[in-house]
Amino acid sequence: VERADYKLSEAWKDGPALIVFYRGGWCPYCNTQVRELAQRNDDFVKAGVQPILISVDSPDNAAMVSAKYEIPFPILSDPDLSAHKMFNVVLELDQETLEKYKGFGLDLSQWSGKEHNAIAVASAFIVDQSGKVVMSHAPEDYSQRPSADQLLALVGKVN
């Protein structure tokens, strides 16, 4: 689902939303998580929750992730960091980390189309219909992601 005019509040107007911030299409941990969420989409639909994925990737790179895994829910591009700031999940990378990434052939400004050198804290939020965050998971270690089963269990507690 690709729309330039998507308002994030649309995600929870009909029921709770699962907002997942991922580091980018270049991140293998993120790709594993995206694939698992897509494969379990029917379970999220049955649970009455709308998954939304957000990264700083440019629209073209966000669309590439969506096409790669046939994602049945919105993958949003937020290179200007608006949603990232709203959820307080902006991670500014230091020069040493940027150089390390460049050594791996990864130029973040090419992925985002911006020069801010920021990515998302890998995180997940459940937002109820009133727009209130009722659950958040934002660990320091980006490899620690809640599984689809864990997220579904949390959604069950919200509904």
Side-chain angles (χ1 to χ4, degrees):
V1 177
E2 186 178 334
R3 289 181 32 207
D5 64 341
Y6 191 90
K7 290 185 178 18
L8 196 52
S9 59
E10 289 180 34
W12 52 79
K13 72 177 185 184
D14 296 325
L18 170 63
I19 309 294
V20 176
F21 287 90
Y22 67 103
R23 294 166 8 121
W26 50 268
C27 170
Y29 294 99
C30 299
N31 287 323
T32 298
Q33 181 182 38
V34 169
R35 186 171 57 249
E36 180 190 23
L37 295 175
Q39 289 170 340
R40 299 290 301 276
N41 185 60
D42 289 347
D43 295 326
F44 287 106
V45 170
K46 286 177 192 167
V49 68
Q50 169 68 65
I52 304 286
L53 276 62
I54 306 172
S55 78
V56 300
D57 286 355
S58 69
D60 288 346
N61 285 323
M64 177 190 72
V65 169
S66 184
K68 186 176 181 180
Y69 296 117
E70 298 181 25
I71 308 299
F73 42 75
I75 297 230
L76 304 180
S77 171
D78 185 31
D80 292 324
L81 304 170
S82 300
H84 287 74
K85 289 175 184 172
M86 186 168 62
F87 281 83
N88 195 27
V89 293
V90 177
L91 177 61
E92 295 281 345
L93 298 178
D94 59 32
Q95 199 57 42
E96 181 182 339
T97 302
L98 289 170
E99 292 304 319
K100 181 178 173 183
Y101 282 12
K102 283 183 181 176
F104 297 139
L106 175 60
D107 184 344
L108 293 178
S109 62
Q110 288 181 342
W111 278 88
S112 69
K114 304 289 180 178
E115 296 295 327
H116 52 55
N117 298 322
I119 59 175
V121 172
S123 50
F125 300 86
I126 297 176
V127 181
D128 70 12
Q129 275 189 269
S130 72
K132 179 182 173 189
V133 172
V134 293
M135 187 286 303
S136 64
H137 179 81
E140 195 171 311
D141 182 350
Y142 60 83
S143 69
Q144 300 301 308
R145 315 284 174 101
S147 69
D149 285 336
Q150 290 169 321
L151 291 169
L152 286 162
L154 291 170
V155 167
K157 291 179 182 178
V158 172
N159 282 341

